[in-house]
Structure formats: C-alpha cells, structure tokens
Amino acid sequence: MLFHTQAFILGFLPVCLAGFFLAGRLLGADWALRWLLLASMIFYAWWNPAHLPLLVGSVLINYAIARQIRRSGRPRAWLIVGVALNLGLLGWFKYADFLLHTLWPAAPVLGITLPLAISFFTFQQIMFLVDTAIAPDYSDTKLLPYAAFVTFFPHLIAGPIVRPAEIIPQLANRTLARLSPANLTDGLLIFLLGLAKKLVLADMFGAFADTGFDAAAHGATLTFFEAWYATLSYALQIYFDFSGYSDMAMGLARMLNVRFPLNFDSPYHSANIAEFWRRWHITLGAFLRDYLYIPLGGNRCAPWRQAANLMATMLLAGLWHGAAWTFVLWGGLHGAYLIIHRLYRQALPPLPRALGQAFTLLAVIIAWVPFRA
C-alpha cells in the first residue's frame, strides 16, 4: 500500500487514526500502541502477506539479541551475531542474484522475491543493536514500543531512517494517543504538500525522463538537448518523488503525535558536495556517517585512509540503493566527488557560493545518469 493511493488515503488512514485515538481514550496508551502495531502489520502485508512473517521474525530475533547484549557478559559477541544475521538476511534477499551473476554470468536466475522495505527495517534494527551495546538508556526498552518503532508504517517502506533514541521514547510516552488538533492539522498539511510533490511534480517530470531514458535504452541516439532534457527531468523527478514521500511520512507521523527529523533541506542549493550530503536524504547520510564511516576510522587516520573510508562508504551507499553496477557507479562518483572536495578544501580557498552551487549541481546531475540508467 502506497501513501498516494485511494486505498490508503480514503480507507487505511482514517480507520487507523480513529482506532488509535479511540483506543487511547477508552483503553489507554498501551492499547493504542497495540492498535498502531496491528495497523502497521496490515499496511506491510497489503502488498504481499507472505513476507509478513519475515518482518515479525526479524523484530523478535533482533529484540532477543538486544536483550542478550544488555544482559550477557559478552555484548560485543552478541552485537557481531546480530549485525551478521541482519546483513546476511539482507544479502540473501537483495544481493544473492547480483553476486551470483557477477561471479558466474551464465548461472540461472535464483528468482528470489525482494521483501518490501527490507533495507529500511534491517538498518533500523542494526542501529538499535549498536546503540544498545553502547547506551545504557536502552536497558528498559520493552518489546511493544520496539516492535511499534520498527514497523511504524510512516517510515517502514521508504524512510526516513529514524534513530531509535528519537522515536522509541515518543512511542512509549503515556500521552502519545491523546488527540492533538494542532498535530493533526499540521500533519495533514505536511502530508498534502508531500502528496502534491509526488503526484503533480514528480510524476510530470518522471514522464519526461522516462521518454528519454527509455528511448536510449532501446538504442535511439538522443540529441544534446534531448539528453539533457531527460537528465534534468530525472533530477527533478527523483527529488520531488523522494522528498515528497518523506514529507508524507513526516505528516503521517505528526498526525500520530510523533515527530520525524527533516530528511531533505533544499539539497540542489548546496555549494559543495559535502553540503549536498548534509541536505540530501539527511537520515541516510547520518546513518552512513555514524555507523559506517566513523567506525571505519573516519577522519582519525592518514589522508589516504580517509579517502578510502569515504570511497568505501559511498560505494556501499550506492549498493544499498539497489543490486546493480549502475548504483555502485553512482556511489563511486559521489565518493570521488567527496575526496576531490576534501583535497580542494585543504589546498585552496572556497569558490564563490554561486559558482560552487553550479559545479555541485552539475556533478550531482551527471551522477544521476547511471543511477537512472
């Protein structure tokens, strides 16, 4: 079920909101949270009910591992087990065919169906395990708010990648299910703005981009202007599509008295590529920085190692978006951009902002070509 469908807007959402606040008023916060958990399960199962046991099993196993991290005398060992299991699950469903045909091109297709949102709920739970190993505040996390956090339908299928420490306390708050007219109206406005981005702008630019990229895919030779027309259209499509979906997620969460962090902040206005990644898919960038780049060594090592850390992080970011070499190339381009920016910043003064914006936008748009192709 997608946010912009009639089934969601006219069916699921009003029933979910009504049941949530009614349960909170008549039965208390715990029952409202149980209702929200049930609604999220229905939301997830709408596309393919066969994958619901995978989500439920992932939640239960990760919660059990988190308990072992807190209570056993070997938290690091249990953390390694938990992260390995999550990455193994993600690798099997998302990357098995890709890796097999990279190593053995003539191999038959495995035909593994990719479960909806597996990348998102896997990363959310890896964050919970890591934070559990280093933060004593997680010692009192109960199963119900944890399960509600992982399955929370506003962020379940397309993010943002919210931190457990940001959302679980909100879900565990005893006043969560108290109806707030201000949150309801603010959330509805944010949702409608995101819906307009998706249906009016993203879909319009998407039609232009599809015409050009599909023609190229079928062997047509595009003129200079046709190629740039398709490329610029896709740059606008992906921004309005993704930021619109993030806005819808923020609006839905706000209606339910939960506040999500901002996920897009006018990224195409960035004056350099590092600023772009502070403005584009902000929650993914923060996850990559805190859970991958810094553990690899971050900036606390020799310059060549810093460059290697940046490139490894961005290559994995590209692979996270999809199991194809085009996504890896996109990540590699952004890794190269970040390395060049770091070297330039160390040796020369910054460019005038307008010129920096132009160069950054050009680099980002060029990188969208393999991403889309």
Side-chain angles (χ1 to χ4, degrees), residues 43-342:
F43 174 84
Y44 184 80
W46 192 268
W47 177 66
N48 189 343
H51 289 151
L52 182 59
L54 178 68
L55 175 62
V56 174
S58 177
V59 169
L60 295 176
I61 290 172
N62 276 283
Y63 185 75
I65 292 173
R67 286 171 63 90
Q68 291 299 317
I69 291 174
R70 290 193 298 268
R71 296 180 179 183
S72 74
R74 304 178 65 188
R76 183 179 177 83
W78 279 106
L79 175 61
I80 292 172
V81 169
V83 172
L85 285 175
N86 280 286
L87 293 180
L89 185 71
L90 181 62
W92 171 253
F93 281 102
K94 191 168 184 176
Y95 302 109
D97 260 321
F98 170 69
L99 293 174
L100 176 63
H101 289 93
T102 297
L103 299 173
W104 184 19
V109 176
L110 296 176
I112 301 170
T113 303
L114 180 65
L116 185 68
I118 189 170
S119 295
F120 284 98
F121 70 71
T122 298
F123 275 22
Q124 302 279 180
Q125 297 190 98
I126 288 175
M127 283 195 295
F128 182 75
L129 295 179
V130 173
D131 291 353
T132 298
I134 63 177
D137 292 342
Y138 281 78
S139 60
D140 59 349
T141 301
K142 302 296 189 296
L143 177 59
L144 179 59
Y146 172 71
F149 157 71
V150 176
T151 64
F152 192 38
F153 73 87
H155 73 73
L156 180 58
I157 63 172
I161 303 174
V162 291
R163 302 292 181 94
E166 294 173 334
I167 305 303
I168 290 178
Q170 296 186 62
L171 293 173
N173 193 311
R174 306 308 297 176
T175 64
L176 173 69
R178 186 177 298 168
L179 180 63
S180 169
N183 281 345
L184 198 61
T185 54
D186 289 349
L188 181 60
L189 177 60
I190 296 170
F191 178 82
L192 291 175
L193 290 173
L195 186 65
K197 279 185 182 180
K198 163 62 183 167
L199 295 183
V200 178
L201 297 172
D203 288 359
M204 177 184 68
F205 288 117
F208 300 152
D210 289 346
T211 300
F213 278 93
D214 289 349
H218 288 87
T221 300
L222 303 184
T223 67
F224 175 86
F225 292 104
E226 289 171 339
W228 273 103
Y229 186 76
T231 301
L232 292 172
S233 295
Y234 181 68
L236 292 170
Q237 176 201 357
I238 193 170
Y239 169 70
F240 286 120
D241 198 318
F242 206 174
S243 68
Y245 228 82
S246 293
D247 289 347
M248 286 189 276
M250 290 174 62
L252 292 168
R254 183 72 64 87
M255 292 183 211
L256 294 161
N257 296 327
V258 175
R259 289 180 177 267
F260 279 174
L262 187 68
N263 207 28
F264 288 85
D265 183 18
S266 302
Y268 289 157
H269 290 174
S270 303
N272 58 67
I273 197 65
E275 183 182 338
F276 173 81
W277 275 101
R278 292 193 295 269
R279 291 167 170 259
W280 175 273
H281 203 340
I282 298 169
T283 57
L284 174 63
F287 174 86
L288 294 171
R289 179 194 67 213
D290 296 342
Y291 294 88
L292 185 56
Y293 178 69
I294 291 177
L296 285 173
N299 299 333
R300 307 181 310 276
C301 47
W304 70 267
R305 180 68 182 275
Q306 294 177 26
N309 293 340
L310 277 173
M311 182 58 73
T313 299
M314 296 315 300
L315 287 173
L316 290 172
L319 193 60
W320 178 80
H321 281 85
W325 286 112
T326 51
F327 293 116
V328 177
L329 177 56
W330 172 83
L333 284 171
H334 275 275
Y337 294 160
L338 288 166
I339 293 169
I340 293 170
H341 166 68
R342 175 161 294 183

